[in-house]
Amino acid sequence: MSDYFFIIVGTVLVNNFVLVQFLGLCPFMGVSKKVETSMGMALATTFVLTLSSISSYLVEQYLLAPLGLEYLRTISYIVVIAAVVQLTEMWVRKSSPLLHEVLGIYLPLITTNCAVLGVALLNVREAHSFVESALFGFGAALGFSLVLILFSAMRERIAVADVPESFQGAPIALITAGLMSLAFMGFAGLA
Amino acid sequence: MLTAILAFGGLAVILGIALGAASVRFKVEGDPLVEQIDALLPQTQCGQCGYPGCRPYAEAIAGEQAEINQCPPGGEDGILALAELLGREPLPLNPENGVADDIKTLAVIDEDRCIGCTLCIQACPVDAIVGANKLMHTVIESECTGCELCVPPCPVDCIDMVPVATTISSWKWSPPEQEPT
Amino acid sequence: MFGLFKSGRSGQSGFHGGLTLPGHKLHGEAGRIRPAPLPDKVILPLSQHIGAPTRALVKVGERVLRGQLIADSDSFIAAPVHASISGTVVEIAPCAVPHASGLAAMAIVIESDHADEGLPTPDWPATEDPFSLDAQTLRERVRRAGLVGLGGAAFPSSVKLNPGSSANVNTLILNGIECEPYISCDAALMQEHADAVIAGAELIRRVLGAQECLIGLEDNAPEAAAALRQAINQADYGDIEIRVVPTRYPQGGEKQLIQALTGKEVPREGLPLDIGIVVHNVGTVAAIWRAIRYAQPLISRIVTVNGPGIRQPQNLEVRLGTPVAELIAHCGGYTQTPRLIMGGPMMGFALSSDAVPVVKATNCILVEVAQAEPADTTLPCIRCGECVDVCPANLLPQQLYWQARAKAFDKAQELDLFDCIECGCCAQVCPSNIPLVQYYRYAKTEIYQAEKEKRKADIARNRHEFRQQRLEAEAREKEEARRRKREALKQKKQTPAAAPASAKTTPANDAIAAAIAKAKAEKARRLAQEPASAASAQPDAISAAIAKAQAQKAQRLAADSGKADPAARTDQVAAAIAKARAARTASATAEAAADPVAPGAAAKRKADRASTTTDPVAAAIAKARAAKQAASASGDTAEAVAPAGPAAGKQDAVAAAIAQAKAARKPTPESASKPHAKTPDPVAAAIAKAKAAKAAREKPS
């Protein structure tokens, strides 16, 4: 049980995918202008990450490993992830057109979110079990959501603040992200 | 090698079938986007965008047949709002559609010169002009959107666009001069 | 000077934040109320209150008397305006009025005749015992007196005396707190007219049905408190209580006052009434008493003229509409180049000139000394948070500032911008001298105007959509008419034999056919009655189209049932029945209405016989033609139909009216029956029917 707990804490705080492992920076910078958008993105990513983590585990265990096709791992993961993202997009579009509108281009972008592929590949490297894989994916998504929402709240305030002209926009956002990363370093050694 | 091809092909087929089924299952009817775009447009119904009214333009934007920079009455703020809604890049106003004019105007009919031809009544997109054949026409001030569509049809040029005067009820505080940063 | 202000936020009860400001008030003899000299002219703006502006009731050149009603409004939230002097109306035009914008607004200008002649009889009687009046009369008189809140908001008082049946008012609070520096008009009033204040308070308390009445005072007005106490003891009103609280700005704000006196907090975006409290200014209360007891409309008020730039500061009883310049002259003039402010130094606004008049909401004319060089320059925000500490509304002034500055008005609204009372505490303590309140005012008016524009856009959208619908319906209508015409033309070509055949029928037969057609029209009318009437009442093309469709359906039904009806035996019998029926329509219309199928069937069969074709449309045309001939052919026919005449008055026998009209309009029978002949369409029939009915109506008259 404590293993599971450590997986969650580890992925959310200690080895945060965005701020410590620097995966998934693209949506982190792209979708963090408004808190509302980032919440939608966080939700979609959580869903996709958990699902793709599970499905890539299944593909690994029941397709690639028995047939000795480990060398096809990356490409087949990409195919699986792309399918999951497509599925999510259709579902979101149907169930919540507003969220779909809010996510816009960023939803398909999850396909190229390196955190998603990263989680799947790390699962194999760490030889996680099924439950561990699911938790690992979920934890990674939680960590991603946490920093995305925190970061977007900060950016909302920075957007109206009197930032020196040369630092306005992306530069100050990157500096802020860097400071957040430094702060997350403080969790190192926690678990 | 064959195993790899078969396995990969099988995987692709399964996922393809799943996606195909999902696309049928989650088919979306209608486009709620049009409503949202229409809500952002100024509703002058002036047609400067090249579409006969605000809603057709909203439909064109939603259908990606029109750019978001074709609405002069909406001005820069309108373009920014559209850009935000659609996640597109804000564009400068297309000069082909006209120039943004910050001064709001209303149509006023010079009632001495009006010959009662009803042409302006037919041109008005919001039925803001009242009058009858051979009788003087007048503009309902509160309904006029200042679209200027009634100006060209008038055979005697008796319609003027008059800037709306600021009254105490429509007056706004000016923003303070910003301090140096 | 403002540097002397210090924030007083530690360890206080009541509302959050606030400041302790130096008083600069007129005390004792200096603060006595003196009457201002009668002005040479008064400028009375039509809108001196919150709500709908009034309309002028007098004309230029008219002589008016003091207290005469000169402007009023039909709106519920409005207060009429009275002439404050006697004289002649010289102008009703836009004049400079006291408003932050410096814009002109409509006003009535009266030139004094120096007689100060009052109305011979007031608009309502003076009352010895105002407590005997019922609430409705009181409210009515308060409204007619033009009373508004004299504390500065100028909300019509009669509305505040009418909390509604569902409201439960427990507490009436009198606001005697003048928290802003310099202003002392209310303190002077309480000191010198304590009895009017107390009596007015008791009156309002009874009107509202409140159990208790609290009078809030600050500890910087001990004379006023003493005078009020004495008045309460004399009058022996047990339910009025005086509460003196430590001086703190902005304690005079309604919500802050309630919190300071009762400890209760008005919910955000709510009203004091929501927690059973009504707040009135003491000046308003005294004015209400005078209006009821002595029948005096609101024509004067007490104004403090004070500030470092005036020679003899004093409290003056001023006629409304008096130009500020006349007050200044009476107070000895300016000491230096002035900067005029109406209201206090914190919440007042700068006046564009001293030509503006005193209005109902004017409590103070503050004469500051104009600074040669601009005030301290604005510096960047250092995020010290002082503004948050002093905000009496518990807002985040700094966040509001950032959002307003970046024009992120929706965010500012989320931060409860509209709970800001613009007290200016935040700007006062700001070490960077940021004009915070100006940002909030700017954001508020921007939001108001944006909302206005949004409403206007919505109206424009609706009107445009309605127009589109109308145009489409019209186009459809036209297309439909064209199509029908084409079809009719085609039919005419196809059945050239039918017409002559029917034309050869005997006059008697024609009469029958007329009756049949009439009965059929009756049925169609009955079926299409509702939509048809809707169509005629409102020239809406859509409903007309619906009516048409329904009528067509009805016609189809009639035709079908006609085909199937076994009751229709031989033609002659059926025709005879139809004739009898038509005759009976006159006397017993209900029956005819109940069973119009048989005539319909007869018509059908008749038409079938007349023309050999089985096409129902062609048959209908032939039938209609027969009807036309019947109508125009002979006097015999007219007589045959004439018995139907008396039924014209009855609504349900309109078909009979057609016949009658046909008979009546014999000189031009063609025109009346034309629609019948040309289009076998129930709508056309309905139109013809309407025309006939009209003709029938016109005939008796």
Side-chain angles (χ1 to χ4, degrees), chain C residues 364-378:
Chain C
C364 177
I365 305 291
L366 178 64
V367 188
E368 298 258 36
V369 177
Q371 248 99 31
E373 70 248 35
D376 305 330
T377 45
T378 307

PDB file of all heavy atoms in Angstrom, chain C residues 364-378:
ATOM      1  N   CYS C 364     -22.286  70.317   0.863  1.00  0.00           N
ATOM      2  CA  CYS C 364     -21.123  71.141   1.195  1.00  0.00           C
ATOM      3  C   CYS C 364     -20.494  71.710  -0.061  1.00  0.00           C
ATOM      4  O   CYS C 364     -20.442  71.042  -1.095  1.00  0.00           O
ATOM      5  CB  CYS C 364     -20.096  70.279   1.945  1.00  0.00           C
ATOM      6  SG  CYS C 364     -18.570  71.156   2.343  1.00  0.00           S
ATOM      7  N   ILE C 365     -20.090  72.968   0.034  1.00  0.00           N
ATOM      8  CA  ILE C 365     -19.238  73.555  -0.990  1.00  0.00           C
ATOM      9  C   ILE C 365     -17.882  73.731  -0.336  1.00  0.00           C
ATOM     10  O   ILE C 365     -17.722  74.534   0.587  1.00  0.00           O
ATOM     11  CB  ILE C 365     -19.750  74.928  -1.464  1.00  0.00           C
ATOM     12  CG1 ILE C 365     -21.211  74.842  -1.942  1.00  0.00           C
ATOM     13  CG2 ILE C 365     -18.841  75.496  -2.545  1.00  0.00           C
ATOM     14  CD1 ILE C 365     -21.406  74.088  -3.206  1.00  0.00           C
ATOM     15  N   LEU C 366     -16.941  72.924  -0.772  1.00  0.00           N
ATOM     16  CA  LEU C 366     -15.608  72.979  -0.181  1.00  0.00           C
ATOM     17  C   LEU C 366     -14.711  73.821  -1.088  1.00  0.00           C
ATOM     18  O   LEU C 366     -14.601  73.544  -2.280  1.00  0.00           O
ATOM     19  CB  LEU C 366     -15.058  71.558  -0.038  1.00  0.00           C
ATOM     20  CG  LEU C 366     -13.651  71.425   0.532  1.00  0.00           C
ATOM     21  CD1 LEU C 366     -13.599  71.932   1.967  1.00  0.00           C
ATOM     22  CD2 LEU C 366     -13.194  69.981   0.479  1.00  0.00           C
ATOM     23  N   VAL C 367     -14.128  74.839  -0.476  1.00  0.00           N
ATOM     24  CA  VAL C 367     -13.264  75.713  -1.276  1.00  0.00           C
ATOM     25  C   VAL C 367     -11.820  75.410  -0.887  1.00  0.00           C
ATOM     26  O   VAL C 367     -11.337  75.825   0.156  1.00  0.00           O
ATOM     27  CB  VAL C 367     -13.591  77.193  -1.026  1.00  0.00           C
ATOM     28  CG1 VAL C 367     -12.827  78.074  -2.012  1.00  0.00           C
ATOM     29  CG2 VAL C 367     -15.075  77.449  -1.142  1.00  0.00           C
ATOM     30  N   GLU C 368     -11.182  74.637  -1.722  1.00  0.00           N
ATOM     31  CA  GLU C 368      -9.771  74.327  -1.517  1.00  0.00           C
ATOM     32  C   GLU C 368      -8.941  75.408  -2.202  1.00  0.00           C
ATOM     33  O   GLU C 368      -9.455  76.168  -3.030  1.00  0.00           O
ATOM     34  CB  GLU C 368      -9.438  72.966  -2.141  1.00  0.00           C
ATOM     35  CG  GLU C 368     -10.193  71.813  -1.528  1.00  0.00           C
ATOM     36  CD  GLU C 368      -9.343  71.011  -0.564  1.00  0.00           C
ATOM     37  OE1 GLU C 368      -8.520  71.621   0.142  1.00  0.00           O
ATOM     38  OE2 GLU C 368      -9.503  69.786  -0.542  1.00  0.00           O
ATOM     39  N   VAL C 369      -7.683  75.416  -1.888  1.00  0.00           N
ATOM     40  CA  VAL C 369      -6.794  76.359  -2.556  1.00  0.00           C
ATOM     41  C   VAL C 369      -6.110  75.624  -3.695  1.00  0.00           C
ATOM     42  O   VAL C 369      -5.553  74.537  -3.496  1.00  0.00           O
ATOM     43  CB  VAL C 369      -5.754  76.907  -1.567  1.00  0.00           C
ATOM     44  CG1 VAL C 369      -4.780  77.823  -2.294  1.00  0.00           C
ATOM     45  CG2 VAL C 369      -6.447  77.645  -0.445  1.00  0.00           C
ATOM     46  N   ALA C 370      -6.220  76.193  -4.874  1.00  0.00           N
ATOM     47  CA  ALA C 370      -5.633  75.537  -6.039  1.00  0.00           C
ATOM     48  C   ALA C 370      -4.113  75.540  -5.908  1.00  0.00           C
ATOM     49  O   ALA C 370      -3.514  76.563  -5.578  1.00  0.00           O
ATOM     50  CB  ALA C 370      -6.050  76.258  -7.314  1.00  0.00           C
ATOM     51  N   GLN C 371      -3.533  74.387  -6.146  1.00  0.00           N
ATOM     52  CA  GLN C 371      -2.088  74.282  -6.054  1.00  0.00           C
ATOM     53  C   GLN C 371      -1.455  74.731  -7.377  1.00  0.00           C
ATOM     54  O   GLN C 371      -1.974  74.406  -8.448  1.00  0.00           O
ATOM     55  CB  GLN C 371      -1.650  72.838  -5.780  1.00  0.00           C
ATOM     56  CG  GLN C 371      -1.046  72.656  -4.406  1.00  0.00           C
ATOM     57  CD  GLN C 371      -2.033  72.101  -3.423  1.00  0.00           C
ATOM     58  OE1 GLN C 371      -2.921  71.360  -3.801  1.00  0.00           O
ATOM     59  NE2 GLN C 371      -1.896  72.452  -2.151  1.00  0.00           N
ATOM     60  N   ALA C 372      -0.392  75.484  -7.261  1.00  0.00           N
ATOM     61  CA  ALA C 372       0.295  75.958  -8.466  1.00  0.00           C
ATOM     62  C   ALA C 372       0.920  74.771  -9.189  1.00  0.00           C
ATOM     63  O   ALA C 372       0.715  74.575 -10.392  1.00  0.00           O
ATOM     64  CB  ALA C 372       1.362  76.982  -8.109  1.00  0.00           C
ATOM     65  N   GLU C 373       1.688  73.977  -8.462  1.00  0.00           N
ATOM     66  CA  GLU C 373       2.289  72.800  -9.098  1.00  0.00           C
ATOM     67  C   GLU C 373       1.423  71.584  -8.788  1.00  0.00           C
ATOM     68  O   GLU C 373       0.720  71.562  -7.785  1.00  0.00           O
ATOM     69  CB  GLU C 373       3.734  72.588  -8.605  1.00  0.00           C
ATOM     70  CG  GLU C 373       3.861  72.140  -7.177  1.00  0.00           C
ATOM     71  CD  GLU C 373       4.495  73.222  -6.319  1.00  0.00           C
ATOM     72  OE1 GLU C 373       4.247  74.425  -6.559  1.00  0.00           O
ATOM     73  OE2 GLU C 373       5.225  72.861  -5.397  1.00  0.00           O
ATOM     74  N   PRO C 374       1.450  70.613  -9.654  1.00  0.00           N
ATOM     75  CA  PRO C 374       0.605  69.449  -9.430  1.00  0.00           C
ATOM     76  C   PRO C 374       0.974  68.741  -8.123  1.00  0.00           C
ATOM     77  O   PRO C 374       2.099  68.870  -7.624  1.00  0.00           O
ATOM     78  CB  PRO C 374       0.890  68.562 -10.648  1.00  0.00           C
ATOM     79  CG  PRO C 374       2.184  69.053 -11.202  1.00  0.00           C
ATOM     80  CD  PRO C 374       2.248  70.510 -10.872  1.00  0.00           C
ATOM     81  N   ALA C 375       0.001  68.039  -7.599  1.00  0.00           N
ATOM     82  CA  ALA C 375       0.222  67.288  -6.355  1.00  0.00           C
ATOM     83  C   ALA C 375       1.308  66.245  -6.570  1.00  0.00           C
ATOM     84  O   ALA C 375       1.796  66.063  -7.674  1.00  0.00           O
ATOM     85  CB  ALA C 375      -1.085  66.619  -5.948  1.00  0.00           C
ATOM     86  N   ASP C 376       1.631  65.573  -5.489  1.00  0.00           N
ATOM     87  CA  ASP C 376       2.727  64.597  -5.545  1.00  0.00           C
ATOM     88  C   ASP C 376       2.556  63.654  -6.735  1.00  0.00           C
ATOM     89  O   ASP C 376       1.454  63.179  -6.996  1.00  0.00           O
ATOM     90  CB  ASP C 376       2.745  63.757  -4.266  1.00  0.00           C
ATOM     91  CG  ASP C 376       2.833  64.663  -3.047  1.00  0.00           C
ATOM     92  OD1 ASP C 376       3.415  65.749  -3.174  1.00  0.00           O
ATOM     93  OD2 ASP C 376       2.299  64.269  -2.003  1.00  0.00           O
ATOM     94  N   THR C 377       3.642  63.410  -7.446  1.00  0.00           N
ATOM     95  CA  THR C 377       3.551  62.578  -8.633  1.00  0.00           C
ATOM     96  C   THR C 377       3.252  61.128  -8.249  1.00  0.00           C
ATOM     97  O   THR C 377       3.639  60.656  -7.176  1.00  0.00           O
ATOM     98  CB  THR C 377       4.861  62.613  -9.429  1.00  0.00           C
ATOM     99  OG1 THR C 377       5.925  62.461  -8.498  1.00  0.00           O
ATOM    100  CG2 THR C 377       5.000  63.912 -10.180  1.00  0.00           C
ATOM    101  N   THR C 378       2.578  60.472  -9.152  1.00  0.00           N
ATOM    102  CA  THR C 378       2.220  59.076  -8.940  1.00  0.00           C
ATOM    103  C   THR C 378       3.437  58.197  -9.168  1.00  0.00           C
ATOM    104  O   THR C 378       4.179  58.380 -10.127  1.00  0.00           O
ATOM    105  CB  THR C 378       1.108  58.681  -9.917  1.00  0.00           C
ATOM    106  OG1 THR C 378       0.057  59.606  -9.774  1.00  0.00           O
ATOM    107  CG2 THR C 378       0.610  57.293  -9.650  1.00  0.00           C
TER     108      THR C 378
END
